[in-house]
């Protein structure tokens, strides 16, 4: 799970495959995949502002490498939650309950995040996904008009 979620790569690949397979809704898959990328980027941005160090306790064995020493929020939880919301909507499946808890729990079990890191990541991922879905549902003419202003 850790490798799949690293830099949201697994979710971005999943979205790209969806776009290739479901040609009728390719634009929707691309938009959903972009939302996952934006969520991941937002998580990295918040991490750099907050600068919370990862857990460091001699009783906790860290079981995986990390790309940085920053912890808050969990980018894995952020991108997984965003993916569960946007891809779940496309697949008409409630993916959040199946995907988010195992990813969030794995980050704590691996010793690289505090509970508040994964909670904040999930909230951030959900917020980005909901905003992306609302934006995608807006009428095309209205979006084009706003682009010209």
């Amino acid at each position: 799970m850790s490798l799949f979620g690293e830099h949201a790569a697994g979710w971005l690949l999943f979205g790209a495959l969806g776009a290739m397979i479901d040609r009728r809704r390719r634009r929707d898959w691309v938009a959903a995949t972009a939302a996952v990328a934006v969520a991941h980027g937002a998580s990295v941005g918040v991490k750099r502002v907050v600068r919370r160090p990862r857990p460091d306790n001699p009783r906790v064995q860290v079981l995986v490498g990390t790309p940085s020493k920053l912890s808050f929020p969990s980018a894995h939880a952020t991108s997984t939650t965003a993916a569960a919301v946007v891809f779940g909507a496309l697949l008409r499946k409630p993916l959040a309950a199946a995907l988010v808890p195992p990813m969030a729990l794995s980050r704590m079990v691996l010793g690289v995040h505090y509970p508040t890191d994964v909670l904040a990541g999930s909230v951030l991922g959900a917020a980005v996904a909901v905003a992306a879905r609302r934006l995608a549902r807006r009428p095309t003419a209205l979006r084009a008009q706003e682009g010209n202003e």
Side-chain angles (χ1 to χ4, degrees), residues 3-25:
L3 183 60
F4 186 84
E6 195 68 41
H7 303 294
W11 298 122
L12 298 174
L13 178 61
F14 184 85
L17 289 172
M20 288 190 304
I21 293 167
D22 188 357
R23 292 181 181 183
R24 184 179 58 83
R25 297 185 303 165

Side-chain angles (χ1 to χ4, degrees), residues 47-124:
K47 245 182 229 246
R48 290 186 177 163
V49 170
V50 173
R51 305 201 62 75
R52 180 184 196 177
R54 291 192 185 273
D56 184 22
N57 186 313
R59 294 180 295 170
V60 176
Q61 182 182 4
V62 176
L63 302 172
V64 67
T66 59
S68 82
K69 295 182 188 269
L70 302 177
S71 179
F72 183 92
S74 165
H76 281 74
T78 304
S79 62
T80 297
T81 303
V85 172
V86 295
F87 297 150
L90 282 170
L91 297 170
R92 294 181 179 91
K93 303 280 184 202
L95 298 179
L99 298 176
V100 176
M103 182 63 84
L105 183 61
S106 77
R107 306 312 292 159
M108 293 182 292
V109 168
L110 290 171
V112 295
H113 283 291
Y114 297 101
T116 51
D117 298 339
V118 295
L119 179 62
S122 291
V123 169
L124 178 58

Side-chain angles (χ1 to χ4, degrees), residues 16-42:
L17 289 172
M20 288 190 304
I21 293 167
D22 188 357
R23 292 181 181 183
R24 184 179 58 83
R25 297 185 303 165
R26 177 171 285 151
R27 181 172 284 166
D28 296 332
W29 280 99
V30 169
T33 305
V36 172
V38 167
H40 177 73

